[in-house]
Amino acid sequence: MTGPETSRRVALVTGGSGGIGRAVVDRLARDGYDVAVHYAGNEARAQEAVAAVRQQGGRALAVGGDVADEVAMGTLFDTVEQALGGIDVVVNTAGIMVLGPVVGFDLADLDRMHRTNIRGAFVVSQLAAARLRAGGALINFSTSVTRLQFPTYAAYVASKAAVEGLTLILARELRGRDVTVNAVAPGPTATPLFLDGKSEEEVGRLRSAAPLERLGQPDDVAEAVAFLAGPARWVNGQVLFVNGGIG
C-alpha cells in the first residue's frame, strides 16, 4: 500500500517502547528517520517514544500487536505504510527471555518464549521481506550467549539460534532486491529484561567478563543498529556481536 510521499526514510521498530528498542527509536530519529514504535502491551511507553521522535522533528506513530500473529502484523505494516509512506528499515527487537536449567524447565514457558522469539521473528521477517523498499534493511536480534553458553540460557539461546539461521538464509533469498538482512547479538546489556531476577553477584560477574569491564548500555547496541540500518550497505547476511569483547 502507498501513502503520503516522503523523502525521509521510515523505520519500524518492534519492541520499541522500552530497553534496547527505545534506544533504537531515539537513535534512528536522530539520524532523521520517521519511526513507527511497536508495542505489545504498554501503549503509554510507546507514546512517550513517539513524543520524543516528534520533538526531534520527525513523524512517528505507535502501533500495537502480537508479533507472532501474522494477521495483526500484516495490518500493522499496512498502517505504517499508509501513515508514513512506506517502510525502509525494520528492526525486530521484540522478544522475551525465561531462564532456567534444561532439567525441569517449564515447557509452557518454552512454548511461550519460542512463540514470540521464533514465530514472531519469522512473521516480522516474512512481512519485511515482502514490504521493504529498495535500499532497505531488516535487522533481527540474537544474543551473544549463542557463543558464550551460559548455564540456564539453553531455552532462550535455542530461540535466538533459530533467529540467526532465519536471518542468514533470508539474506541470500533476497538476492537482487537491494535489501540487507543482518542480526545484532548483544552481550550483557543493562536493560530490565537482562537484569530481572539476577543477583548483584551475577551482575558483577558479567560486568567484569568483558575487557571493557562494564555492562553494555542500550545506546551501545543502538549505534550498531544505526550502522546496519544506514551506511553499512555492504554488510549483509551477518551476525554482529555487540558485547564489548566478551567471549
Side-chain angles (χ1 to χ4, degrees):
M1 292 188 176
T2 60
E5 292 298 321
T6 176
S7 60
R8 294 167 61 96
R9 281 166 67 81
V10 175
L12 165 62
V13 181
T14 73
S17 63
I20 290 173
R22 173 61 192 272
V24 168
V25 168
D26 292 342
R27 181 65 178 82
L28 293 180
R30 291 199 300 273
D31 279 352
Y33 285 79
D34 295 330
V35 187
V37 181
H38 162 267
Y39 64 93
N42 196 326
E43 183 179 2
R45 285 199 309 177
Q47 293 294 354
E48 290 173 4
V50 165
V53 174
R54 291 174 177 168
Q55 286 174 358
Q56 297 183 56
R59 295 184 302 163
L61 76 158
V63 284
D66 176 0
V67 291
D69 182 334
E70 68 274 22
V71 175
M73 293 307 291
T75 300
L76 183 150
F77 271 69
D78 289 343
T79 299
V80 175
E81 289 176 334
Q82 290 168 352
L84 300 179
I87 304 176
D88 301 285
V89 173
V90 172
V91 185
N92 192 28
T93 77
I96 60 176
M97 179 169 65
V98 182
L99 303 181
V102 172
V103 175
F105 195 88
D106 187 330
L107 294 182
D109 285 338
L110 179 74
D111 291 343
R112 179 169 59 91
M113 182 164 54
H114 285 203
R115 184 177 190 277
T116 296
N117 294 2
I118 298 178
R119 181 184 169 90
F122 198 98
V123 166
V124 172
S125 296
Q126 187 176 62
L127 287 162
R131 306 284 192 103
L132 284 170
R133 296 187 285 203
L138 168 62
I139 302 154
N140 283 321
F141 264 67
S142 181
T143 171
S144 287
V145 190
T146 57
R147 305 297 185 269
L148 299 174
Q149 293 97 38
F150 291 152
T152 75
Y153 278 77
Y156 178 67
V157 164
S159 72
K160 291 302 186 177
V163 172
E164 289 189 13
L166 162 65
T167 299
L168 301 186
I169 291 172
L170 181 57
R172 278 73 185 176
E173 290 183 350
L174 295 187
R175 173 181 293 274
R177 282 280 309 281
D178 190 22
V179 170
T180 62
V181 185
N182 294 288
V184 169
T189 305
T191 66
L193 178 70
F194 171 77
L195 295 172
D196 182 47
K198 291 184 173 64
S199 67
E200 281 298 320
E201 180 183 3
E202 289 175 291
V203 172
R205 184 170 65 252
L206 292 167
R207 182 184 294 113
S208 64
L212 296 177
E213 296 189 334
R214 67 174 177 86
L215 295 178
Q217 295 298 318
D219 286 346
D220 295 320
V221 182
E223 286 295 329
V225 171
F227 172 66
L228 294 173
R233 299 305 303 165
W234 198 233
V235 181
N236 189 30
Q238 305 298 319
V239 179
L240 179 59
F241 290 84
V242 185
N243 59 27
I246 186 173

